[in-house]
Amino acid sequence: MIAVPVSDTIKRTDGEGVVQDTLDRSQLWAVQTPQAFQYQLIREAYQKAERDGFQGTDDASLVERLGHPVKLIPGPSDNIKVTTKADLRLAEQMAREKGMASTSSEELMRTGIGYDIHRLIEGRRLILGGVEFPGPKGLEGYSDADVLTHAVCDALLGAIGSGDIGQHFPETDARYAGISSLILLKEVGQLVEQAGYRLVNVDVVVVAEEPKVGPRVAEIKGSLAEALGVGEEYFGIKGTTAEGLGSIGSGEAIASYAVALVGRA
Ligand code: MG
């Protein structure tokens, strides 16, 4: 049985708070769990306790009643017993310090996914993640049609369970005509904050035959980071092609996927 020497001074009272005597601390141990026994022994101990109508506060006390020696083994001092709310807070704090995932509501994590696709047409600017890619074609859309940023917005809105970009920024609202999607992302960031969450990370894949986003990943991270008021290390940005297949492969469209993770602020 694991246990730790008692560090508090222990006093026996008369039951009404008046001290009768002070126990010799050097002989006292606080018992921890788990306790381990040979199966036959603990089974016999429980059967005897049931016959006698005895209720113990731990398994070992039932075995002691058999007259069987129970040996104490020093246990770790941080193996605390969780009984009160204060114990629970202490246990959560220790779990955090050890880098262990806590299941407390304060540490709740949520994920969201976003997907968007826009058609490539002549005579539009091509904006991806707030960064302009010069060329003859750009993405068609009501705002600046920044497909990458739209996917990130939807992932974040999904993570907080708050609908999608079309609900928050409808095309029927003239305010959003030609607007930079980074402004929309900034507002989404505020919604995340208002919901009581903070960003943990965002990962993005852009699917495009042209252009290559790889060389401009740092710029894209910078503009997304600025819109959300976080560091660039919060973002993963990757580009891939559709291997010439389908509407993306033929250069008619660009699509983007994003996932976002948020945690309780
Ligand atoms: Mg869109």
Side-chain angles (χ1 to χ4, degrees), residues 36-76:
F37 307 90
Q38 288 175 348
Y39 175 69
Q40 280 304 332
L41 185 64
I42 188 70
R43 184 181 165 85
E44 190 184 332
Y46 264 84
Q47 284 170 341
K48 179 171 170 49
E50 189 175 17
R51 276 196 308 273
D52 299 347
F54 175 80
Q55 290 198 334
T57 57
D58 72 341
D59 293 326
S61 60
L62 308 189
V63 174
E64 291 157 29
R65 293 182 71 250
L66 293 177
H68 196 92
V70 175
K71 186 170 173 50
L72 294 180
I73 298 164

Coordinates of all heavy atoms in Angstrom, one line a residue, residues 36-76:
A36 N -2.9 -2.4 -3.5 CA -2.8 -3.7 -4.3 C -2.8 -4.9 -3.3 O -2.1 -4.8 -2.3 CB -1.5 -3.7 -5.1
F37 N -3.5 -5.9 -3.6 CA -3.6 -7.1 -2.8 C -3.6 -8.3 -3.7 O -4.0 -8.3 -4.8 CB -4.9 -7.1 -1.9 CG -5.1 -5.9 -1.2 CD1 -5.7 -4.8 -1.7 CD2 -4.5 -5.7 0.1 CE1 -5.9 -3.6 -1.0 CE2 -4.7 -4.6 0.8 CZ -5.4 -3.5 0.3
Q38 N -3.2 -9.5 -3.1 CA -3.5 -10.8 -3.8 C -5.0 -11.0 -3.8 O -5.7 -10.7 -2.8 CB -2.8 -11.9 -3.0 CG -1.3 -11.9 -3.3 CD -0.5 -12.9 -2.4 OE1 -1.1 -13.5 -1.6 NE2 0.8 -13.1 -2.8
Y39 N -5.5 -11.5 -4.9 CA -6.9 -11.5 -5.1 C -7.7 -12.3 -3.9 O -8.7 -11.8 -3.4 CB -7.3 -12.2 -6.4 CG -8.7 -12.4 -6.6 CD1 -9.6 -11.3 -6.8 CD2 -9.3 -13.7 -6.6 CE1 -10.9 -11.5 -7.0 CE2 -10.6 -13.9 -6.8 CZ -11.4 -12.8 -7.0 OH -12.8 -13.0 -7.2
Q40 N -7.1 -13.5 -3.6 CA -7.8 -14.3 -2.6 C -7.9 -13.6 -1.2 O -8.9 -13.7 -0.5 CB -7.0 -15.6 -2.4 CG -7.3 -16.7 -3.5 CD -8.8 -17.0 -3.6 OE1 -9.6 -16.9 -2.6 NE2 -9.3 -17.4 -4.8
L41 N -6.8 -12.8 -0.9 CA -6.7 -12.1 0.3 C -7.8 -11.0 0.4 O -8.5 -10.9 1.4 CB -5.3 -11.5 0.5 CG -5.0 -10.8 1.8 CD1 -5.1 -11.8 3.0 CD2 -3.7 -10.2 1.8
I42 N -7.9 -10.2 -0.6 CA -8.8 -9.1 -0.6 C -10.3 -9.6 -0.7 O -11.2 -9.1 0.0 CB -8.5 -8.0 -1.7 CG1 -9.4 -6.8 -1.5 CG2 -8.7 -8.6 -3.1 CD1 -9.0 -5.9 -0.4
R43 N -10.5 -10.7 -1.4 CA -11.8 -11.3 -1.4 C -12.3 -11.8 -0.1 O -13.4 -11.5 0.4 CB -11.8 -12.5 -2.4 CG -13.1 -13.1 -2.7 CD -12.9 -14.3 -3.7 NE -14.1 -15.1 -3.7 CZ -15.2 -14.9 -4.4 NH1 -15.3 -13.8 -5.2 NH2 -16.2 -15.7 -4.3
E44 N -11.3 -12.5 0.6 CA -11.6 -13.0 2.0 C -11.9 -11.8 2.9 O -12.8 -11.8 3.7 CB -10.4 -13.8 2.5 CG -10.6 -14.6 3.7 CD -9.3 -15.2 4.2 OE1 -8.5 -15.6 3.4 OE2 -9.2 -15.4 5.4
A45 N -11.1 -10.7 2.8 CA -11.3 -9.5 3.6 C -12.7 -8.9 3.5 O -13.3 -8.5 4.4 CB -10.2 -8.5 3.3
Y46 N -13.1 -8.8 2.2 CA -14.4 -8.2 1.9 C -15.5 -9.1 2.4 O -16.6 -8.7 3.0 CB -14.6 -8.0 0.4 CG -14.3 -6.5 0.1 CD1 -13.0 -6.2 -0.2 CD2 -15.3 -5.6 0.0 CE1 -12.6 -4.8 -0.5 CE2 -15.0 -4.2 -0.3 CZ -13.7 -3.9 -0.6 OH -13.3 -2.6 -0.9
Q47 N -15.4 -10.5 2.3 CA -16.4 -11.4 2.8 C -16.5 -11.3 4.3 O -17.6 -11.3 4.8 CB -16.0 -12.8 2.4 CG -16.3 -13.1 0.9 CD -15.7 -14.4 0.4 OE1 -14.9 -15.0 1.0 NE2 -16.3 -14.8 -0.8
K48 N -15.4 -11.2 5.0 CA -15.5 -11.1 6.5 C -16.1 -9.8 6.9 O -16.9 -9.7 7.8 CB -14.0 -11.2 7.0 CG -14.0 -11.0 8.6 CD -12.6 -11.4 9.1 CE -12.5 -11.0 10.6 NZ -13.6 -11.5 11.5
A49 N -15.8 -8.7 6.2 CA -16.3 -7.3 6.5 C -17.9 -7.4 6.3 O -18.6 -6.8 7.1 CB -15.7 -6.3 5.6
E50 N -18.3 -8.0 5.3 CA -19.7 -8.1 5.0 C -20.4 -8.9 6.1 O -21.5 -8.5 6.6 CB -20.0 -8.7 3.6 CG -21.4 -8.7 3.2 CD -21.7 -9.2 1.8 OE1 -20.8 -9.9 1.2 OE2 -22.7 -8.8 1.2
R51 N -19.8 -10.0 6.5 CA -20.4 -10.9 7.5 C -20.5 -10.1 8.8 O -21.5 -10.2 9.5 CB -19.5 -12.1 7.8 CG -19.8 -13.3 6.8 CD -19.2 -14.6 7.4 NE -17.8 -14.5 7.7 CZ -16.8 -14.7 6.9 NH1 -17.0 -15.0 5.6 NH2 -15.5 -14.6 7.3
D52 N -19.5 -9.3 9.1 CA -19.4 -8.6 10.4 C -20.2 -7.2 10.3 O -20.3 -6.5 11.3 CB -18.0 -8.3 10.8 CG -17.1 -9.6 10.9 OD1 -17.8 -10.6 11.0 OD2 -15.9 -9.5 11.0
G53 N -20.6 -6.8 9.1 CA -21.2 -5.5 9.0 C -20.2 -4.4 9.2 O -20.6 -3.3 9.7
F54 N -19.0 -4.6 8.9 CA -17.9 -3.6 9.1 C -17.8 -2.7 7.8 O -17.7 -3.2 6.7 CB -16.6 -4.3 9.4 CG -15.4 -3.3 9.5 CD1 -15.2 -2.6 10.7 CD2 -14.6 -3.1 8.4 CE1 -14.2 -1.7 10.8 CE2 -13.5 -2.3 8.5 CZ -13.3 -1.6 9.7
Q55 N -17.7 -1.4 8.0 CA -17.5 -0.5 6.9 C -16.1 0.2 7.1 O -16.0 1.0 8.1 CB -18.6 0.6 6.8 CG -19.9 0.0 6.3 CD -20.8 1.0 5.8 OE1 -20.8 2.2 6.2 NE2 -21.8 0.6 5.0
G56 N -15.2 -0.1 6.2 CA -13.9 0.6 6.3 C -13.8 1.8 5.4 O -14.7 2.0 4.6
T57 N -12.8 2.6 5.6 CA -12.6 3.8 4.7 C -11.6 3.5 3.6 O -11.3 4.3 2.8 CB -12.2 5.0 5.5 OG1 -11.0 4.7 6.2 CG2 -13.2 5.5 6.4
D58 N -10.9 2.3 3.7 CA -10.1 1.9 2.6 C -10.0 0.4 2.6 O -10.4 -0.3 3.5 CB -8.7 2.5 2.6 CG -7.8 2.0 3.7 OD1 -8.4 1.4 4.7 OD2 -6.6 2.1 3.6
D59 N -9.5 -0.2 1.5 CA -9.4 -1.6 1.3 C -8.5 -2.2 2.4 O -8.8 -3.3 2.9 CB -8.9 -2.0 -0.1 CG -9.9 -1.6 -1.2 OD1 -11.1 -1.7 -0.9 OD2 -9.4 -1.2 -2.3
A60 N -7.4 -1.6 2.6 CA -6.4 -2.1 3.5 C -7.0 -2.4 4.9 O -6.6 -3.4 5.6 CB -5.2 -1.2 3.6
S61 N -7.9 -1.5 5.4 CA -8.4 -1.7 6.7 C -9.2 -3.0 6.9 O -9.3 -3.6 7.9 CB -9.3 -0.5 7.1 OG -10.4 -0.3 6.2
L62 N -9.8 -3.5 5.7 CA -10.5 -4.7 5.8 C -9.5 -5.9 5.9 O -9.7 -6.9 6.6 CB -11.3 -4.9 4.5 CG -12.3 -3.8 4.1 CD1 -13.2 -4.2 3.0 CD2 -13.1 -3.3 5.3
V63 N -8.4 -5.7 5.2 CA -7.3 -6.8 5.3 C -6.7 -6.8 6.6 O -6.4 -7.9 7.2 CB -6.2 -6.5 4.2 CG1 -5.1 -7.5 4.3 CG2 -6.9 -6.7 2.8
E64 N -6.5 -5.6 7.2 CA -5.9 -5.5 8.6 C -6.8 -6.3 9.6 O -6.3 -7.0 10.5 CB -5.8 -4.1 9.0 CG -4.8 -3.2 8.3 CD -5.1 -1.7 8.3 OE1 -5.7 -1.3 9.3 OE2 -4.7 -1.0 7.4
R65 N -8.1 -6.3 9.4 CA -9.0 -7.0 10.3 C -8.8 -8.5 10.3 O -9.2 -9.2 11.2 CB -10.5 -6.7 10.0 CG -10.8 -5.2 10.3 CD -12.3 -4.9 10.0 NE -13.2 -5.5 10.9 CZ -14.0 -6.6 10.7 NH1 -14.0 -7.1 9.5 NH2 -14.8 -7.1 11.6
L66 N -8.2 -9.0 9.2 CA -7.9 -10.4 9.1 C -6.7 -10.8 9.9 O -6.3 -11.9 10.1 CB -7.6 -10.8 7.6 CG -8.8 -10.8 6.6 CD1 -8.3 -11.2 5.2 CD2 -9.9 -11.7 7.1
G67 N -6.0 -9.7 10.4 CA -4.8 -10.0 11.1 C -3.6 -10.1 10.2 O -2.5 -10.6 10.6
H68 N -3.8 -9.8 8.9 CA -2.8 -9.9 7.9 C -1.9 -8.6 7.9 O -2.5 -7.5 7.9 CB -3.4 -10.1 6.6 CG -2.5 -10.7 5.5 ND1 -2.3 -12.0 5.3 CD2 -1.6 -10.0 4.7 CE1 -1.4 -12.2 4.4 NE2 -1.0 -11.0 4.0
P69 N -0.6 -8.8 7.9 CA 0.2 -7.6 7.8 C 0.1 -6.8 6.5 O 0.0 -7.4 5.5 CB 1.7 -8.1 8.0 CG 1.6 -9.5 7.6 CD 0.3 -10.0 7.9
V70 N -0.1 -5.5 6.7 CA -0.1 -4.6 5.5 C 1.1 -3.7 5.5 O 1.3 -3.0 6.5 CB -1.4 -3.8 5.5 CG1 -1.5 -2.8 4.3 CG2 -2.7 -4.7 5.5
K71 N 1.9 -3.7 4.4 CA 3.1 -3.0 4.4 C 2.9 -1.7 3.6 O 2.3 -1.6 2.6 CB 4.2 -3.8 3.7 CG 5.6 -3.1 3.8 CD 6.7 -4.1 3.4 CE 8.0 -3.4 3.2 NZ 8.4 -2.6 4.4
L72 N 3.5 -0.6 4.2 CA 3.4 0.7 3.6 C 4.6 0.9 2.7 O 5.7 0.6 3.1 CB 3.4 1.8 4.7 CG 2.2 1.9 5.6 CD1 2.4 3.1 6.5 CD2 0.9 2.2 4.7
I73 N 4.4 1.5 1.5 CA 5.5 1.8 0.6 C 5.4 3.3 0.3 O 4.3 3.8 0.0 CB 5.4 1.1 -0.7 CG1 5.5 -0.5 -0.4 CG2 6.4 1.5 -1.7 CD1 5.0 -1.3 -1.5
P74 N 6.5 4.1 0.5 CA 6.4 5.6 0.3 C 5.9 5.9 -1.1 O 6.4 5.3 -2.1 CB 7.8 6.1 0.5 CG 8.5 5.0 1.3 CD 7.8 3.7 0.9
G75 N 4.8 6.7 -1.2 CA 4.3 7.1 -2.5 C 4.7 8.5 -2.9 O 5.3 9.2 -2.1
P76 N 4.3 9.0 -4.1 CA 4.7 10.3 -4.5 C 3.8 11.3 -3.8 O 2.6 11.1 -3.6 CB 4.4 10.3 -6.0 CG 3.4 9.2 -6.2 CD 3.7 8.2 -5.2

